[in-house]
Amino acid sequence: SKLTRDMLYNIKGNKFPNLQVFLGTNGLMFTEKVWNKMHKIHHNLFRCDISVDAGTKETYEQKTRLGGNWELLFKNLDFLNSMSANHRNFIVAYRYVVQTVNYKEMPMFAKLILDRYSNVHQIFFTLVNDWGTWNKEEYESRCMWKTTHPEYEQFLDVLKDPIFDNPKIFLGNISKYRNEARRHI
């Protein structure tokens, strides 16, 4: 938001040496220009979590981030990755909210990030929450982790992928489903 950006541009980080700034963003507006405007807190930046929620341009632009721009996103991510390499206390992590429209791309996303960014700190997968965005029926259709969902077994098959053994991948509330999937390998 403009309010948050203005605050980040104006904090004098040298006056607050113990301040650690943790940013959460979708990455689309986190450009080199924005980074440069935050120059007063570069040494206070601790972590930036970027929520992507797709492993392909099509899913990103047409299902999870309507109006998003895949190429712009990765231009910004490439830049932030280089900044985390230059600022040893600044880490970049990636978030992926899992639902019916994108669960099949989880391994693809993990591979994309791990191959592209050698200094990635973490890739965090989590199940979509019901924040009242959809009506109950629509929300339930997105919950492929429920045993009553018609895609439940396909979800478990995706979780069998060995990429999820990578120590940089954190499955959070998906871990129990990964364990269930591994019992059927």
Side-chain angles (χ1 to χ4, degrees):
S1 71
K2 181 175 177 0
L3 178 66
T4 303
R5 283 192 312 272
D6 288 344
M7 181 186 68
L8 293 171
Y9 299 159
N10 292 306
I11 293 174
K12 293 183 173 88
N14 60 349
K15 291 190 176 192
F16 305 98
N18 295 323
L19 174 68
Q20 291 184 324
V21 178
F22 183 127
L23 302 169
T25 178
N26 65 16
L28 284 175
M29 293 181 64
F30 207 151
T31 63
E32 184 173 358
K33 180 179 177 181
V34 168
W35 172 269
N36 290 334
K37 283 182 159 185
M38 295 185 339
H39 66 91
K40 296 175 189 172
I41 60 166
H42 282 177
H43 295 293
N44 303 94
L45 292 175
F46 165 67
R47 179 177 174 133
C48 182
D49 277 14
I50 302 163
S51 184
V52 178
D53 306 338
T56 65
K57 174 184 169 89
E58 177 185 359
T59 297
Y60 180 80
E61 292 182 355
Q62 297 176 19
K63 295 178 182 173
T64 61
R65 296 286 178 185
L66 299 178
N69 180 313
W70 184 257
E71 286 81 18
L72 175 61
L73 171 68
F74 276 92
K75 177 181 178 187
N76 294 346
L77 296 184
D78 291 346
F79 174 75
L80 287 173
N81 181 68
S82 69
M83 292 302 96
S84 74
N86 294 334
H87 294 80
R88 64 182 174 90
N89 294 325
F90 176 58
I91 60 174
V92 177
Y94 300 87
R95 292 191 166 268
Y96 192 107
V97 177
V98 180
Q99 57 180 305
T100 304
V101 299
N102 67 1
Y103 76 91
K104 293 176 182 174
E105 295 180 7
M106 292 169 61
M108 188 181 316
F109 174 74
K111 182 170 178 21
L112 173 67
I113 296 300
L114 291 168
D115 288 350
R116 191 167 182 137
Y117 306 120
S118 61
N119 62 332
V120 60
H121 177 72
Q122 184 179 59
I123 301 171
F124 186 86
F125 291 95
T126 188
L127 299 173
V128 69
N129 287 316
D130 184 3
W131 289 2
T133 305
W134 305 289
N135 64 38
K136 183 168 177 56
E137 183 179 291
E138 177 65 22
Y139 175 72
E140 291 295 319
S141 75
R142 295 174 183 265
C143 299
M144 73 288 142
W145 63 89
K146 295 187 177 185
T147 57
T148 56
H149 195 282
E151 294 183 46
Y152 176 73
E153 293 298 327
Q154 290 175 305
F155 175 57
L156 293 182
D157 284 343
V158 169
L159 293 175
K160 292 176 183 176
D161 195 300
I163 198 159
F164 297 115
D165 293 330
N166 187 298
K168 292 184 177 189
I169 295 177
F170 182 73
L171 291 175
N173 61 2
I174 300 173
S175 294
K176 68 181 181 178
Y177 302 102
R178 166 83 165 140
N179 293 337
E180 176 67 20
R182 294 178 83 184
R183 281 195 282 272
H184 299 301
I185 292 178

